[in-house]
Amino acid sequence: MPLTEEEKWNAVVQCNNDYDGVFFYGVKTTGIFCKPSCKSKEPKRSNIEFFDNIEDAYAYGLRPCKRCRPDLLDFNPIEDFIKKAKDIFDTYYDNYENLKLELSKLGVSQNHLIQLFHKKYKITPVKYLNQLRIEKALKLLATTDKTIMNIALLCGFQSLSNFYDSFKKQTGMTPKEYRESTKKHF
C-alpha cells in the first residue's frame, strides 16, 4: 500500500531514516530535494513536494541537498573521514612530518580524531601507528643488516627508547633478540 502524504510528512518531520530510498521530498522555495532523514531545518509543509524517485525530483527542476546527499546510495561522512585518516596512517606512518601535515588537512582536533578512530577500529591511532611501524621493523630486521637505530628511524619512531619499548610490548623480545632468532632459521 502506498504511503499517504501525511505519513510522508511525518517521516520528514521525524527525520526517519526508515523511509530513505522509499521517497524523496523537495522544497519548492529552495529548489533542493532531500531524503526523509535529512537533518536540515524543517521546511514549511506548504513548500513541500514528494517524489517516488530521484528522477522525478530532477525532472521537477530540483537539485540534491548537499547535507544529506540523496543522490548517493551510501553517504556517510564520518565513515569516509575515518577511512581517509586510516589511509593517511597507512601511507605516512614512517614519516612524522608528512603524517602531521596530512592529518592537519583533515580539519579536526586530535581528540576528536582519536575518539572516531577508536570507535571504528577499537584501537587508538598511536597504537595503530606503532603496529604498522613494528611490522615494518620486523621485515627490516629479518631481511637487512641495517642498524637497529637506522631501522627505528626508517619505521617512523622518533627515538630509540620508544622503538625498544613498542617493539618489546608487541613482540615480547628486543629488536636484537628478534634479529638473532630470525638468523637461526636460515
Side-chain angles (χ1 to χ4, degrees):
M1 178 181 280
L3 294 170
T4 66
E5 295 255 327
E6 193 59 33
E7 288 172 319
K8 290 178 182 178
W9 173 245
N10 286 333
V12 169
V13 170
Q14 296 166 3
C15 300
N16 191 332
N17 62 359
D18 292 337
Y19 294 95
D20 287 356
V22 176
F23 72 90
F24 301 89
Y25 74 93
V27 183
K28 299 173 204 172
T29 53
T30 62
I32 293 172
F33 72 95
C34 300
K35 297 188 280 190
S37 65
C38 189
K39 303 287 187 209
S40 294
K41 183 180 171 188
E42 184 180 309
K44 286 185 178 180
R45 175 66 180 97
S46 59
N47 293 333
I48 295 294
E49 192 71 37
F50 294 108
F51 304 96
D52 292 329
N53 54 57
I54 289 178
E55 292 78 17
D56 291 345
Y58 279 124
Y60 193 83
L62 303 175
R63 63 181 171 79
C65 172
K66 290 182 180 176
R67 186 171 196 174
C68 71
R69 295 303 306 262
D71 54 328
L72 299 178
L73 289 175
D74 188 25
F75 179 63
N76 189 339
I78 299 292
E79 191 75 26
D80 294 344
F81 168 79
I82 293 304
K83 184 182 178 333
K84 193 173 192 178
K86 185 179 180 298
D87 289 345
I88 291 170
F89 293 145
D90 291 343
T91 304
Y92 299 106
Y93 69 91
D94 58 355
N95 186 320
Y96 179 75
E97 291 303 317
N98 286 346
L99 177 67
K100 200 166 105 175
L101 176 68
E102 292 301 316
L103 288 174
S104 72
K105 293 176 184 177
L106 292 176
V108 298
S109 72
Q110 184 177 355
N111 286 340
H112 192 56
L113 172 61
I114 291 168
Q115 287 174 340
L116 293 174
F117 193 85
H118 188 268
K119 185 176 180 181
K120 169 72 176 168
Y121 295 109
K122 309 295 184 238
I123 188 172
T124 64
V126 169
K127 285 184 180 177
Y128 181 72
L129 285 167
N130 282 340
Q131 282 181 355
L132 294 173
R133 291 169 178 155
I134 296 301
E135 285 173 22
K136 182 175 182 178
L138 291 169
K139 289 176 191 161
L140 292 173
L141 286 165
T143 61
T144 71
D145 290 328
K146 294 182 185 304
T147 66
I148 291 174
M149 178 66 175
N150 199 0
I151 289 172
L153 294 174
L154 286 171
C155 294
F157 285 96
Q158 299 297 298
S159 72
L160 192 57
S161 63
N162 187 281
F163 173 60
Y164 267 89
D165 289 344
S166 296
F167 196 93
K168 185 132 185 169
K169 278 181 190 167
Q170 208 164 320
T171 66
M173 58 180 92
T174 66
K176 183 178 179 183
E177 290 169 342
Y178 177 78
R179 176 174 266 167
E180 289 171 357
S181 75
T182 60
K183 300 291 185 217
K184 292 176 187 174
H185 292 94
F186 294 108

